[in-house]
Amino acid sequence: MFTLHQDRIRPGVFKKNVGGGKTVVDVILSFFQFISNLGPSVMMPIIMLILGLALGAPFGKSLRAGLTVGVGFIGLGLVTGLLGGSLGPAVQEMVARYGLKLDAVDIGWVASAAIAFASQVGTFIIPIGITINVVMLLTKTTQTINVDIWDYWHFAFTGAIVQSYTGSIWMGIAAAALNMVIIMILGDWTAPGLEKYNGLPGISLPHGFTTAFVPFAYLFCGIIDKIPGLSNVKVDMEKIQRRLGVFGEPILIGLVFGIVIGIIAGYDVFGVTTLGMSLAACLVLIPKMAALLMEGLIPVSDAAQVFIEKRIKGGGKIYIGLDSAVGIGHPICMTSALILVPVSILLAVLLPGNRVLPFADLAVIPWMFVLFIPAAKGDFMRSLVSGFFTLIIMLYMGTDMVDTFVKAAVAADPASYAAAGNFSSLCDGSNPMTWAFFRMSGLGWLGIGVIAAIGVAMAVYNRKKIIKEANEMASADIAA
């Protein structure tokens, strides 16, 4: 997610030596902080240029790839900004119109990212993340080159929550590192389905928010497949679109849902039609911006595959790890998300014991759905139903973490949050992976050790899978 305003990010505090000058570590961390503060639209072209050159691609091709990726990110940022700017006020009107009151309002992922980067764990997260990725590539425990450095904040947020809960920065750093390892592996495992059902070849999504929902996606889709009657139901969005003709196209879907949400919010005719057109534009433009970004990635992805095959034998297929924004334009993703925006508010009010009122982060629900699509094998009904039950779980997880969320925010930025009362966010305050680390850390180092054992087991399994795939690719090349 990359529509974050940089003035909301407060850099971490670096320790200086007694003489007042910076240590070598301070200089290194300051450099990574500077890179992070550039934002993805500037950072990604630089990274792609350097990566392309390092992988042996010509300068001109690398430069064009980097610039194209940067333009794609800017385009996606503008359109997702329109999405959030359109839904946010509508949700605010819903809350005011129906007098909804819960004690922990969703303040949004922007605040979560600020808290993550301003935390002590956030100070170290970029060098830690890069090191983890390199080590995993060399040990063949991942197939992903994760260039989505900006979204390392999700891992830092997990670490900040664990540190606030346990009081140990080392447990926080360990949690952040293990979170990344597990997410990287899940990104590998879902990449083939991402190519088949989402139309994103050569891409994986090691995204700390989107990929955290993979276990729920497969769990609920598996349950649906076991229920008599439902197991045979298939709702193919592409077939629906073909049968409905123009009324099944994304532009009409966005218009209809925008009008419905506007009516629920109590907008006048002008507001309703404006919201409808805005959401119609989002559903049309997001896939086009994602396609532009993909165009820039192809030369670097191809160069990465050749480079790895030459230098790391038995490494299998290589994926470029990206922000899951590249996948939110899928019709299933956006349609499911728009249905669940008003539903999530209704759930928040009706669920007993829930404290979290979805608000600022309702616009990020599409990010949650990207990997539900391969889990559901492209089926709309399975994606929607799985997402519905996942939202219920998210609200209760968010409720469970409210107090620790506030504590972490106050520790990172006391000036902004000390007197703010209770608050949360759907992203990442209701992130299932963050919640799992939060609860396991209650067992101290034993809990972190259990997670580490799970991570190691996943890494070993992934290594065997990667080597097997590489051998099969080699055999196929020989046979050809």
Side-chain angles (χ1 to χ4, degrees), residues 91 95 100-108 344-345 348-349 353-362 394-407 420-427 429-430:
V91 171
V95 172
L100 304 180
K101 295 186 182 297
L102 293 168
D103 79 321
V105 176
D106 165 20
I107 60 174
S344 64
I345 298 174
V349 175
N354 173 59
R355 298 173 62 186
V356 178
L357 175 61
F359 182 57
D361 267 344
L362 284 173
M394 284 177 68
L395 289 171
Y396 280 122
M397 287 179 171
T399 294
D400 191 37
M401 287 197 292
V402 165
D403 295 335
T404 304
F405 186 109
V406 173
K407 184 179 177 182
N422 291 324
F423 48 85
S424 183
S425 82
L426 292 183
C427 174
S430 301

Side-chain angles (χ1 to χ4, degrees), residues 4-359:
L4 184 60
H5 297 289
Q6 294 303 310
D7 57 358
R8 299 290 297 275
I9 294 293
R10 297 176 69 251
V13 179
F14 300 108
K15 293 182 178 180
K16 299 181 180 179
N17 63 29
V18 178
K22 289 188 175 182
T23 65
V24 174
V25 173
D26 292 329
V27 173
I28 294 172
L29 293 177
S30 295
F31 170 75
F32 283 114
Q33 188 68 54
F34 170 75
I35 294 296
S36 172
N37 286 343
L38 289 175
S41 61
V42 176
M43 182 176 66
M44 287 301 295
I46 296 173
I47 291 174
M48 297 307 294
L49 171 62
I50 295 172
L51 184 61
L53 293 174
L55 295 172
F59 176 80
K61 185 176 288 188
S62 300
L63 177 62
R64 186 182 185 282
L67 292 175
T68 304
V69 168
V71 170
F73 265 101
I74 290 173
L76 274 172
L78 290 172
V79 182
T80 55
L82 173 63
L83 178 65
S86 301
L87 284 178
V91 171
Q92 190 172 6
E93 288 298 323
M94 288 182 201
V95 172
R97 187 182 189 193
Y98 300 106
L100 304 180
K101 295 186 182 297
L102 293 168
D103 79 321
V105 176
D106 165 20
I107 60 174
W109 75 269
V110 172
S112 299
I115 292 164
F117 275 130
S119 70
Q120 288 180 296
V121 177
T123 301
F124 301 95
I125 193 61
I126 292 180
I128 288 173
I130 292 173
T131 301
I132 288 172
N133 196 180
V134 170
V135 171
M136 291 184 74
L137 283 168
L138 292 175
T139 56
K140 302 185 184 69
T141 50
T142 189
Q143 297 167 274
T144 295
I145 300 175
N146 188 1
V147 300
D148 186 25
I149 293 173
W150 173 256
D151 278 318
Y152 285 8
W153 75 262
H154 295 283
F155 311 129
F157 184 86
T158 297
I161 289 291
V162 169
Q163 181 185 355
S164 292
Y165 190 57
T166 64
S168 169
I169 185 174
W170 296 111
M171 289 183 70
I173 290 174
L178 288 169
N179 191 4
M180 180 171 180
V181 169
I182 292 172
I183 291 294
M184 290 285 290
I185 294 169
L186 290 175
D188 285 350
W189 292 354
T190 52
L194 194 69
E195 177 173 351
K196 182 176 181 179
Y197 297 105
N198 298 61
L200 296 173
I203 299 300
S204 71
L205 302 179
H207 191 273
F209 178 67
T210 299
T211 313
F213 293 97
V214 167
F216 284 135
Y218 280 90
L219 171 65
F220 287 122
C221 288
I223 291 173
I224 292 171
D225 286 338
K226 300 295 183 182
I227 298 175
L230 279 181
S231 60
N232 295 323
V233 176
K234 305 290 183 183
V235 183
D236 189 320
M237 277 295 290
E238 292 183 359
K239 289 182 180 178
I240 291 175
Q241 289 175 353
R242 286 197 296 269
R243 288 177 182 176
L244 293 178
V246 67
F247 295 101
E249 293 180 5
I251 192 169
L252 264 297
I253 292 173
L255 177 66
V256 170
F257 279 108
I259 290 173
V260 170
I261 292 172
I263 292 172
I264 295 173
Y267 280 1
D268 58 18
V269 174
F270 175 78
V272 167
T273 52
T274 300
L275 180 59
M277 284 304 301
S278 295
L279 295 189
C282 289
L283 264 65
V284 172
L285 293 175
I286 286 175
K288 293 184 183 299
M289 293 302 102
L292 181 63
L293 192 150
M294 289 291 296
E295 178 187 331
L297 285 173
I298 291 172
V300 178
S301 178
D302 291 343
Q305 190 65 50
V306 173
F307 182 90
I308 295 297
E309 287 175 356
K310 286 182 177 179
R311 290 166 177 79
I312 303 179
K313 301 298 182 182
K317 184 174 181 177
I318 293 298
Y319 300 105
I320 301 296
L322 289 180
D323 187 308
S324 50
V326 298
I328 67 170
H330 194 285
I332 289 177
C333 184
M334 290 302 298
T335 304
S336 300
L338 291 177
I339 291 172
L340 289 181
V341 164
V343 169
S344 64
I345 298 174
L346 182 63
L347 285 173
V349 175
L350 296 179
L351 290 174
N354 173 59
R355 298 173 62 186
V356 178
L357 175 61
F359 182 57

Side-chain angles (χ1 to χ4, degrees), residues 414-460:
S416 298
Y417 299 107
N422 291 324
F423 48 85
S424 183
S425 82
L426 292 183
C427 174
D428 273 359
S430 301
N431 184 320
M433 197 72 72
T434 300
W435 180 84
F437 276 86
F438 159 69
R439 274 296 157 205
M440 290 299 291
S441 68
L443 301 175
W445 281 107
L446 174 62
I448 298 297
V450 170
I451 296 173
I454 293 171
V456 169
M458 290 175 66
V460 170

